[in-house]
Amino acid sequence: MKKETLAIHHGYDKESFGTMAVPLYQTTAYDFKTAKCAADRFALKELGPIYTRLNNPTTEILESRIAAVEKGEAAIATASGQSAIFYAIANLAEAGDNIIVAEKIYGGATTLLTHTMKRFGIKAKIFDSDEAEDLEALIDDKTKAIFFESLSNPNISIANVEKIASIAKKHDVISICDNTVATPILFNPLTKGIDVVVHSASKYITGQGLAIGGLIVEAKGLNDKLIGNKRYPQFNEPDESYHGLVYANLPLPIFTLRVRLSLIRDIGATPAPFNSWLFIQGLETLAIRMKQHSKNTLKIAKFLKSHPKVKKVNYPGLKGDPYHKKAKELFKNGYASGLLSFEVEDFKTAEHILNSTELFAIVVNIGDSKSIITHPASTTHMQVPPEKLEKYGITQGLIRLSVGLEDIEDLIEDLEKALD
Ligand SMILES: *Cc1c(COP(=O)(O)O)cnc(C)c1O
């Protein structure tokens, strides 16, 4: 089945309850009925709900659906995109280890991976995911993960996914791709040899700015890369926190299983069942929304490019953009999602535009059906030192748009007035 169909049906058997909509299990705990059943579930002899911090039937439908749509083996849902990134890394690295992190990633992921993780003894080395020419030389015995974004927020660049995957494979290091902006509809990193995908479900997956959530998906066959791999003893040696369980001996997808049994168990950043239910609603319309977000954004990119007050437009869907070729190669129909940035003369001009638009709200979210306008240098990238801002092209005149699903003529008219 195609992923557009899986996003609507996978993981829920209508016959079980006779409801068309997926039921919401708004519950903390589950009745085991017998003492044996309780013991068997804790011993993993029987798989079933234990406690909503660990699993929940509504959340499990979301998990199996995202795994199918991403063409992966299994998934786990988390309380936020940030916690998904944290768990994916903490599942692999510990104090004394290092991770290799792309330079151009979401601001929150940068602070988590380069600052907070350092305080836990995990050091980040930075690489350029556009080309990945510098990646291989950074790998050593203590390297436990390579982290990057397929379509980067907010730089709107596209990574050299195939090269990153092949270097990770050669050195038996796990590669993790944040696929939030591209979404599984436009691109499936796991089919290009990436090992793990993470998402902030708070963006395009919910699609209407309704809830915070995250997802981790592991590739088919990832067990083969983890079992017997000397870099990752935690999957191959007894886990003393789980009475000597050896993950490698289980006939289950062990990457996400270990996140569940060890990290979610202990740290507990689990999604609320209601939020999982909202993400299921979002997935049902994701395919049609991504098509429309991409079409609207391309039209706005073309309008801005022809405007005399606009110095530069960054959008991979646009012919002549440095990432246009990669977008056409990697992304479904060459659709390039709903983020674009453009540059005007200076801060004053940018400020005037932000204050003058009516449909574009000044918000630091993305992926909403409602259009959004942001000034990165004074908000999302305020903590970044000036020399780095320049390197990333985040000038005082740079404006980012997350283009929504409103009528395209209304959106262009709104920008036209604001640019006046
Ligand atoms: C928003 C975002 C995150 C963080 O997700 P939250 O759900 O806000 O915690 C991570 N990566 C990318 C690319 C994002 O856009």
Side-chain angles (χ1 to χ4, degrees), residues 135-297:
L135 175 59
E136 189 161 15
L138 295 171
I139 297 175
D140 63 29
D141 290 350
K142 291 282 178 192
T143 301
K144 299 299 166 86
I146 299 166
F147 181 91
F148 70 104
E149 293 177 4
S150 45
L151 179 54
S152 126
N153 168 22
N155 300 76
I156 318 179
S157 57
I158 299 174
N160 192 342
V161 182
E162 275 141 338
K163 179 150 188 184
I164 296 169
S166 83
I167 293 172
K169 184 164 185 224
K170 184 172 158 197
H171 294 271
D172 269 332
V173 178
I174 300 296
S175 54
I176 305 170
C177 176
D178 183 335
N179 201 32
T180 300
V181 181
T183 79
I185 294 300
L186 302 186
F187 181 53
N188 295 121
L190 303 179
T191 65
K192 299 288 176 194
I194 297 300
D195 300 309
V196 174
V197 159
V198 294
H199 281 282
S200 166
S202 329
K203 312 293 169 54
Y204 288 105
I205 289 177
T206 169
Q208 300 170 53
L210 296 176
I212 301 281
L215 298 155
I216 305 173
V217 190
E218 68 176 283
K220 291 187 174 137
L222 185 58
N223 278 11
D224 295 342
K225 191 166 175 179
L226 292 169
I227 295 172
N229 187 333
K230 290 203 172 54
R231 276 187 204 275
Y232 305 108
Q234 64 270 47
F235 292 95
N236 293 290
E237 291 171 4
D239 179 350
E240 62 184 44
S241 80
Y242 217 105
H243 51 74
L245 177 79
V246 178
Y247 287 92
N249 294 342
L250 297 172
L252 295 164
I254 58 176
F255 186 88
T256 46
L257 185 73
R258 188 169 181 276
V259 171
R260 194 183 303 281
L261 295 187
S262 167
L263 293 166
I264 288 241
R265 175 197 63 186
D266 296 348
I267 297 163
T270 260
F274 182 63
N275 288 356
S276 297
W277 186 84
L278 289 173
F279 299 137
I280 290 169
Q281 313 314 309
L283 273 181
E284 290 193 6
T285 57
L286 184 63
I288 189 159
R289 285 187 286 109
M290 289 320 294
K291 182 171 160 189
Q292 196 59 34
H293 278 296
S294 304
K295 285 186 167 181
N296 274 1
T297 312

Side-chain angles (χ1 to χ4, degrees), residues 102-107 110 127-130 147-161 177-183 187 204 314-316 323 326 331 336-341 366 381 392 394 400-401:
E103 183 164 36
K104 293 182 190 167
I105 52 170
Y106 177 70
T110 299
F127 84 108
D128 164 30
S129 53
D130 277 14
F147 181 91
F148 70 104
E149 293 177 4
S150 45
L151 179 54
S152 126
N153 168 22
N155 300 76
I156 318 179
S157 57
I158 299 174
N160 192 342
V161 182
C177 176
D178 183 335
N179 201 32
T180 300
V181 181
T183 79
F187 181 53
Y204 288 105
N314 304 306
Y315 184 59
Y323 301 97
K326 273 195 206 162
F331 293 178
S337 193
L339 290 193
L340 74 73
S341 63
I366 59 164
H381 286 66
Y392 298 165
I394 301 172
R400 186 189 72 189
L401 300 180

